[in-house]
Amino acid sequence: MTAEGFVTDTPTYKTRLDEREPVADWLTDFDHTDPSYGQQAPEIWEEVRASGCPVARTERFGGTWLPVSHADISAIANDTEHFTSQDVIVSDFRTEMPRPIGAAPPITSDPPFHAFARRLLLPAFSPKAIEPWEAATREICRRLLDEVAAKAEAGDVTDAALDYTQHVPVMVIAEMLGVPASDGPKFRGFINRIIEDPRPDPNLAVEDTLDYYLDAVIADHRAEPRGDLVSYLLDLDIDGEPLSDEHVRGTIALLIIAGIDTTWSAIGSALHHLATHPEDRRRLVAEPDLMPFAVEEFLRFYAPVTMARVVAADVEVSGCPMKEGDWTLLPFPAANRDPEVFERADEFVIDRARNRHAAFGLGIHRCLGSNLARMELRVAIEEWLARFPEFEAAGEPRWSAGQVRGPRELPVSIAG
């Protein structure tokens, strides 16, 4: 079985998801893939928190838990004995890739292999390695903003998500991987099927799957090595043995899925906030030194990523008996709004000084691409504000469902 078992792109699963049933009760029957979850996720987390039991439960997907307290989320993320990372996207099917490697190392890897797989990637995502990408990212943003400006001058309403945020990380990752930027629509298709609506599509052609795409990318790089991330991966080894094609394929899939949707969601959420909070927007324009604090608060308040674990051995969390084989979501955004950890947790504080948020995860799987994500978020906001210091919402955003939350549609009106 290939990495497709992780990315859920072809029908190689044990079961198939049924059509969604309406959610009866978010405390006992939640469905994070329901479109209404994305629209009201913070309110749902607060409802769970206020219920007296900080862990919701659903029988969907074979049984799934939803903790919302920072303490429980941190405890699960750090407990590799009772929770496995073999599957990190909740669905009605499980991968057949064995532990501890998993289908998309290192995110699907358990100890001890996880440490080896993660260590291989760290040099490529260190601050020093990411710094040269800032200039390229600014150029990408400026090209996109030229098109946005032309649209605004024509009197059209701009969709900041479709016209800007959803292109920035796509184009950056494409350059890093050494694949054409024109592959962006393919990336967005993969992301939709994998993250937002992880249901097998029996009509999906093989040539439209992520596995097929990645096999072609790997073959092309073997035939013509170059100085990019794919060639970097192909040159790596563990104890003198080159990485298997399955390992390379899974890691590239991880970079595409985890390195794009998460970042465009963070950028979109930040622009949504600035479009609806003119006092913060104008202060950030007038006080650019606030940007580092603002970036961290955008990440805390609008953290996009919820990961998942599978219960590997029976365990109790906050009085809830989690059984082997159960799913548990790790909504890091909910942890970031826990009033036990953050003062004024339900408020966006643009100059928040103490901000040890969990936007990049907790435990051994903390996002190794955090330096890249922070840079892209900061640059995308800086370039937008430099071009459009005055803009406002021109309608309601449409938030994504699934395990990455961000605006999929973000209509804004730009001042002339």
Side-chain angles (χ1 to χ4, degrees):
M1 186 175 171
T2 67
E4 224 46 88
F6 165 69
V7 300
T8 68
D9 216 16
T10 54
T12 54
Y13 325 107
K14 294 181 179 179
T15 63
R16 183 179 175 186
L17 283 170
D18 297 323
E19 291 299 314
R20 292 189 188 96
E21 293 292 333
V23 172
D25 185 331
W26 288 108
L27 298 178
T28 61
D29 182 44
F30 71 85
D31 182 351
H32 64 292
T33 69
D34 189 294
S36 63
Y37 179 86
Q39 294 294 123
Q40 57 180 323
E43 290 79 9
I44 292 169
W45 302 327
E46 183 54 35
E47 180 182 350
V48 176
R49 205 185 312 276
S51 71
C53 178
V55 186
R57 166 76 181 179
T58 184
E59 294 305 317
R60 298 173 191 250
F61 312 107
T64 308
W65 302 89
L66 178 69
V68 296
S69 75
H70 189 287
D72 286 344
I73 293 168
S74 178
I76 294 169
N78 283 282
D79 184 352
T80 58
E81 176 184 356
H82 295 96
F83 299 91
T84 173
S85 298
Q86 183 178 13
D87 285 291
V88 293
I89 298 177
V90 171
S91 67
D92 270 349
F93 44 81
R94 304 293 173 88
T95 68
E96 297 172 3
M97 294 296 287
R99 299 166 62 187
I101 298 175
I107 201 171
T108 60
S109 303
D110 291 330
F113 185 81
H114 167 268
F116 296 108
R118 183 181 176 89
R119 195 176 303 130
L120 294 174
L121 290 175
L122 286 175
F125 291 93
S126 68
K128 184 177 180 180
I130 295 304
E131 184 178 356
W133 285 100
E134 179 168 333
T137 303
R138 286 195 187 279
E139 179 58 28
I140 287 169
C141 290
R142 288 169 183 173
R143 292 202 310 267
L144 291 168
L145 289 170
D146 287 341
E147 297 177 12
V148 172
K151 190 172 182 178
E153 289 171 5
D156 298 332
V157 171
T158 297
D159 189 316
L162 296 176
D163 297 337
Y164 184 61
T165 69
Q166 293 182 20
H167 297 280
V168 176
V170 168
M171 298 172 79
V172 172
I173 289 292
E175 285 198 29
M176 294 182 77
L177 292 174
V179 300
S182 58
D183 287 351
K186 293 182 181 178
F187 293 172
R188 284 184 281 274
F190 300 145
I191 289 165
N192 175 262
R193 290 196 298 271
I194 294 161
I195 300 294
E196 290 194 63
D197 192 10
R199 296 180 290 177
D201 180 358
N203 299 315
L204 185 67
V206 171
E207 58 268 23
D208 292 330
T209 65
L210 180 53
D211 264 0
Y212 185 93
Y213 174 81
L214 294 179
D215 283 341
V217 168
I218 291 171
D220 179 54
H221 279 72
R222 286 199 188 280
E224 186 181 339
R226 59 209 80 162
D228 54 38
L229 271 176
V230 176
S231 291
Y232 172 80
L233 289 169
L234 291 172
D235 285 341
L236 293 176
D237 67 83
I238 296 179
D239 295 332
E241 292 293 325
L243 302 186
S244 67
D245 278 1
E246 288 77 15
H247 188 147
V248 173
R249 187 192 300 113
T251 299
I252 300 171
L254 170 61
L255 296 175
I256 290 175
I257 302 304
I260 291 177
D261 188 16
T262 55
T263 306
W264 91 37
S265 295
I267 298 169
S269 295
L271 293 184
H272 163 67
H273 179 88
L274 296 174
T276 54
H277 294 78
E279 68 285 358
D280 283 341
R281 184 182 70 251
R282 288 168 185 155
R283 187 176 175 192
L284 193 54
V285 170
E287 303 175 54
D289 288 346
L290 280 178
M291 185 61 74
F293 299 98
V295 164
E296 298 308 312
E297 185 68 343
F298 287 132
L299 288 168
R300 182 193 74 86
F301 199 73
Y302 297 103
V305 179
T306 292
M307 292 305 296
R309 299 287 185 270
V310 177
V311 180
D314 291 0
V315 65
E316 187 172 293
V317 176
S318 286
C320 298
M322 299 184 178
K323 300 298 183 182
E324 181 180 354
D326 284 353
W327 291 102
T328 182
L329 288 164
L330 295 180
F332 299 120
N336 283 343
R337 296 189 182 218
D338 188 338
E340 295 296 321
V341 177
F342 296 94
E343 295 182 9
R344 301 162 63 188
D346 60 349
E347 296 179 42
F348 182 95
V349 182
I350 196 169
D351 56 359
R352 187 183 294 271
R354 186 177 180 276
N355 200 348
R356 295 181 61 83
H357 60 73
F360 293 114
L362 298 164
I364 64 171
H365 288 288
R366 187 182 182 281
C367 176
L368 60 81
S370 60
N371 295 311
L372 175 63
R374 276 193 172 98
M375 181 275 288
E376 290 178 282
L377 176 58
R378 173 178 55 82
V379 169
I381 297 170
E382 288 174 346
E383 292 298 325
W384 179 281
L385 290 178
R387 187 73 65 95
F388 308 123
E390 288 290 331
F391 65 101
E392 61 184 14
E396 291 298 318
R398 180 176 67 84
W399 295 85
S400 57
Q403 289 179 224
V404 178
R405 182 174 184 264
R408 286 297 179 268
E409 296 172 4
L410 185 56
V412 298
S413 177
I414 296 170

